[in-house]
Amino acid sequence: MPEPSTPASSLSAVTPAARPAPLRGDLARRRALFGLLVSLVALPASWLLFSQLDHLWPEIVRMEGATFMAAATLLGAAMAVGPLAAAVGLLLAIWFGVDSVYRPRRKSSPALDRVIVGAGLVVWFAPALAALFMVVQALASGRIHFVRPPRDYFLATDPIAYWQGVGFWLIMGGLFAFLAWRYWRPKLLPRSAAAD
């Protein structure tokens, strides 16, 4: 007796439909979202931990021996990892977010793309702008300040060291701006970058 043939519709119900492979832009957008979620979880958790430190530390100090060592180590690790995870998550979110804008994706989102590119430009050019701010502040006040080691150089009393400090910030600002421009030029001006 011949076996009954199975209809094609029942076969398709049994076997799952093959999903199309995600595009590179979609993968980058998912990674950016994950980095943003890590940052959004780690930042308030770190703030909460640091704000409650004056209550937590006396409780840990009362402990003894291995319990004290374990609790102090755990607290120190959380204090170190939390802010680092928030910062790295934000940077990865911006990095992969910008990458997702310039890669093929299944769905377009022009408004979100503009926000991501704007945030990326601010983050990439912020060190150069900070160095420029230091130079403008030094020229306006006649004093340049360095944090480590803590030193102040005044134009009136030590002009050579003052101008060396201004030159240092100009060089650093130029270096930061050059690196940011090298990253952004192929994205913002693809024809000009391809011509080189």
Side-chain angles (χ1 to χ4, degrees):
M1 182 173 159
E3 293 184 9
S5 61
T6 310
S9 61
S10 65
L11 276 179
S12 63
V14 173
T15 59
R19 280 185 167 174
L23 298 174
R24 293 178 74 183
D26 294 327
L27 288 174
R29 188 64 60 96
R30 286 182 200 151
R31 290 178 181 145
L33 183 60
F34 177 74
L36 184 62
L37 288 174
V38 167
S39 181
L40 290 176
V41 168
L43 186 62
S46 299
W47 178 82
L48 183 65
L49 178 67
F50 279 93
S51 68
Q52 296 299 317
L53 194 57
D54 56 342
H55 300 297
L56 291 172
W57 184 244
E59 296 295 326
I60 293 174
V61 168
R62 290 187 190 121
M63 299 175 185
E64 293 180 3
T67 309
F68 168 77
M69 287 300 294
T73 303
L74 185 63
L75 179 65
M79 290 173 63
V81 169
L84 183 65
V88 169
L90 182 63
L91 289 176
L92 287 176
I94 292 172
W95 178 274
F96 286 118
V98 169
D99 192 40
S100 74
V101 171
Y102 297 98
R103 301 251 184 213
R105 286 175 290 141
R106 298 213 182 278
K107 283 195 233 177
S108 65
S109 54
L112 181 60
D113 291 351
R114 286 189 196 99
V115 171
I116 291 171
V117 168
L121 284 168
V122 167
V123 168
W124 274 95
F125 283 97
L129 293 174
L132 182 63
F133 174 77
M134 293 295 291
V135 169
V136 170
Q137 186 180 33
L139 293 175
S141 66
R143 165 186 167 265
I144 192 156
H145 175 72
F146 289 95
V147 177
R148 292 191 187 261
R151 295 209 176 138
D152 289 303
Y153 299 113
F154 295 89
L155 177 61
T157 58
D158 198 355
I160 293 175
Y162 169 83
W163 287 113
Q164 285 176 341
V166 170
F168 168 77
W169 282 116
L170 282 173
I171 290 169
M172 293 307 293
L175 176 65
F176 292 142
F178 172 75
L179 293 173
W181 179 244
R182 290 289 293 174
Y183 175 77
W184 279 100
R185 185 179 174 206
K187 294 174 178 10
L188 298 177
L189 305 169
R191 290 181 187 165
S192 170
D196 290 346

